[in-house]
Amino acid sequence: MSQSRSGPSETAAEPATQRGEATKAATKAATKAATKPGGEAGESNAYAVGLPPARRRICTVIALAGLLASLVLGQVVQAPTLWGLLPILLYAVLCLLGLDIVVATVVAVISGILIAARPPTEVGELLGTSLGDLVTMIGLIIVLGAGVGEVLRVTGVADTIVSAIMRAVGERSRHAVTFGVMVACLVLVASLGTLAGALAIAAPILIPITARMGFTRSATASMMFVGGCAGLALAPFAGSNVAILTAADVDYLTYLRVGAGPLAVLSIALAMLIVPWMQRRTAAAGNDFYTAEEASDDAASAGGADRNPKAGRATAAFLVLLVVSVVYATVTNAGTAFPLLALPLLGIVTGFAGGLSSVEIAGRMYRGGARLLSIFILFWLLAALFGIIDQWLKPYDVILDTFGSQLSHLGAFPFAVAIGLLGWVGVPGATAAQVVLLDKVFGGLGATLGVSAGAWVIVLLWASKGDTYGPFPNANMIGAMGLARSQNLRNVLLTGWLVMVPACVMYAILLVFMT
């Protein structure tokens, strides 16, 4: 592969310039799409989605029919009953149709209450108890993580991490830059626990570098996408990963060793082959290069005057405390509650090291977390829903009593594969909620069939993150594409497929030995 530092030709730059306005519009729309469903930058509801009027009417009819059926069932059935699965089925159907997941959860909770036919006092007690549930705790962890992310952005820690990595790898060759871009995205996403938000910070720094090296927009999008996805799998305090640790009852090192580590290594290794192929594929067309203006450092350096002079100190404080926190949590098996202390401490220490006052730190933490308040409410409602099903309706008791002997002959491996694939059609944009839901519904059955804790880590990890790579377009793909200023979703989708298929094979082999 050529390692020439020459950029695109003038004839290639001409069409790109003519498409400037369209590219800006596409980038804006794509970034917005990436940070809505399940994203980390929503204004009031991170799961808000726009539905066509016809789809909205269908959802309304299904919800009302489900609630009416639940009201009738509440008068004629008693727990334990298989009808206790109705709230889960209603919830899944509404989510798959694209209804706002918070609204769908409210409908499912009301359905469960109507079937259980419990008095209001017991319902109130359940809702109160659910506030202290582990599921609700995960929602709070996500909110706190968003607050820390805001502090990292304001203090310049995120910019410093990306710039330091790219200076370390240099611009000696395209291979070095490809690796550096992916590592920068990996580290930043792992630190912030959010893909779209981290890539939005990294993109203005990375794009001038890739543009000067003559990379196409599609090749840059592939680097950012794969690196970001690898970082999301590794993020120690990301909500979905905390949910996996809790569900499988393993420590972070075990999670890395059997689940996230192999995926991250495979992703980066494959991308070192995929990106050059994508570069050759798109460079031949001649119309996917960055403009000379985008290859300039002027845009990136324009904000240099506003750069926090204490960003280096804040970065050192953040990274040291992050490593200490992860090591401490691993050695002491601190559990799910530890991030409730670690995350605010990370935000406070980083903020002070970055020169913020206590009032500014509190304000930034609040501003970042407030954007994801809907997620906290969602997880509280999910905790209540699971409580209604587990404590009041108990449908799984009926399933195990009726089909337990037949299910025991199914085998751990086919069961694990089936649940892993089932996650690909799960809750859109809510990976942590998806993990919790799969574990609540199938965790006990998996333990009965002999699925080990390590195998369950793989099942939940691939069920919640496998569909990030494909087989269909998703918000993370669109976000990486838009932030890289590309307009070719097909190329990002191809990148995802080229990682997804080998990853499926890898995890299938691991499950064969672990089950």
Side-chain angles (χ1 to χ4, degrees):
M1 182 184 69
S2 171
Q3 296 176 357
S4 170
R5 292 167 56 92
S6 62
S9 64
E10 291 302 318
T11 56
E14 179 69 21
T17 304
Q18 293 174 353
R19 294 189 345 263
E21 293 303 317
T23 302
K24 291 178 182 178
T27 301
K28 182 178 180 181
T31 305
K32 183 178 180 181
T35 55
K36 267 205 167 185
E40 278 71 45
E43 290 300 323
S44 58
N45 181 4
Y47 293 127
V49 292
L51 285 180
R55 182 81 64 85
R56 189 182 301 113
R57 285 193 291 270
I58 292 173
C59 289
T60 301
V61 170
I62 292 175
L64 291 176
L67 293 178
L68 180 60
S70 301
L71 179 62
V72 174
L73 288 170
Q75 309 305 312
V76 297
V77 302
Q78 291 184 341
T81 173
L82 278 176
W83 286 109
L85 293 175
L86 178 61
I88 291 291
L89 294 175
L90 185 61
Y91 177 71
V93 169
L94 292 175
C95 286
L96 290 173
L97 286 173
L99 184 65
D100 182 326
I101 187 175
V102 178
V103 176
T105 308
V106 171
V107 172
V109 169
I110 295 174
S111 171
I113 292 172
L114 292 176
I115 296 174
R118 297 297 180 98
T121 53
E122 292 189 25
V123 175
E125 289 176 4
L126 178 71
L127 292 174
T129 304
S130 299
L131 281 171
D133 192 271
L134 284 175
V135 177
T136 310
M137 196 180 300
I138 293 171
L140 182 57
I141 288 170
I142 296 174
V143 172
L144 290 174
V148 175
E150 177 69 9
V151 172
L152 296 184
R153 185 188 67 81
V154 172
T155 55
V157 170
D159 285 346
T160 302
I161 291 173
V162 175
S163 299
I165 292 173
M166 294 312 299
R167 282 197 303 269
V169 300
E171 299 181 27
R172 298 181 300 275
S173 68
R174 284 182 177 173
H175 286 298
V177 170
T178 298
F179 183 73
V181 168
M182 289 192 293
V183 171
C185 292
L186 183 153
V187 172
L188 197 58
V189 171
S191 299
L192 272 66
T194 162
L195 192 142
L199 294 188
I201 295 171
I205 304 172
L206 298 177
I207 287 176
I209 298 174
T210 61
R212 284 197 303 272
M213 295 298 294
F215 280 107
T216 62
R217 300 170 189 268
S218 294
T220 302
S222 295
M223 299 178 215
M224 293 173 59
F225 175 67
V226 175
C229 288
L232 196 60
L234 298 174
F237 297 134
S240 58
N241 298 344
V242 172
I244 293 172
L245 296 176
T246 303
D249 193 21
V250 298
D251 58 38
Y252 181 67
L253 284 182
T254 301
Y255 167 77
L256 285 183
R257 178 173 54 83
V258 302
L263 177 61
V265 171
L266 180 69
S267 298
I268 298 299
L270 289 173
M272 293 301 294
L273 302 175
I274 295 170
V275 171
W277 172 78
M278 183 63 68
Q279 173 70 16
R280 292 192 299 270
R281 182 177 186 273
T282 53
N287 60 356
D288 196 34
F289 289 102
Y290 291 99
T291 64
E293 180 182 356
E294 289 168 322
S296 164
D297 272 332
D298 293 344
S301 61
D306 299 327
R307 189 166 296 167
N308 184 359
K310 298 180 179 179
R313 185 175 70 180
T315 302
F318 169 75
L319 292 177
V320 169
L321 186 55
L322 178 63
V323 171
V324 170
S325 299
V326 172
V327 171
Y328 176 82
T330 302
V331 171
T332 62
N333 293 319
T336 310
F338 181 70
L340 297 177
L341 171 64
L343 287 171
L345 188 61
L346 279 167
I348 292 170
V349 171
T350 304
F352 279 133
L356 301 182
S357 68
S358 56
V359 174
E360 289 174 321
I361 293 171
R364 292 297 178 176
M365 290 280 290
Y366 174 78
R367 179 179 300 179
R371 297 192 185 105
L372 301 187
L373 182 60
S374 58
I375 291 181
F376 175 77
I377 295 174
L378 167 67
F379 278 78
W380 172 45
L381 293 172
L382 282 174
L385 175 61
F386 298 143
I388 292 169
I389 292 172
D390 290 342
Q391 300 172 27
W392 291 353
L393 301 178
K394 303 180 179 179
Y396 305 115
D397 292 354
V398 178
I399 293 175
L400 289 177
D401 290 342
T402 306
F403 305 105
S405 58
Q406 293 94 321
L407 290 173
S408 62
H409 299 298
L410 179 62
F413 176 74
F415 173 83
V417 171
I419 302 306
L421 294 177
L422 179 63
W424 291 15
V425 292
V427 180
T431 54
Q434 190 169 312
V435 168
V436 171
L437 183 62
L438 288 174
D439 182 62
K440 287 287 185 179
V441 175
F442 300 106
L445 183 56
T448 302
L449 294 175
V451 178
S452 66
W456 198 234
V457 166
I458 292 176
V459 170
L460 295 179
L461 177 66
W462 198 234
S464 59
K465 291 185 172 61
D467 54 352
T468 300
Y469 296 92
F472 307 109
N474 57 66
N476 286 328
M477 286 183 184
I478 295 172
M481 177 194 73
L483 291 167
R485 304 175 193 175
S486 171
Q487 293 181 324
N488 196 324
L489 179 58
R490 181 187 176 192
N491 286 336
V492 184
L493 188 59
L494 283 173
T495 300
W497 286 349
L498 291 173
V499 176
M500 177 187 68
V501 174
C504 285
V505 174
M506 176 189 72
Y507 279 139
I509 293 172
L510 289 176
L511 285 174
V512 166
F513 289 101
M514 297 176 68
T515 55

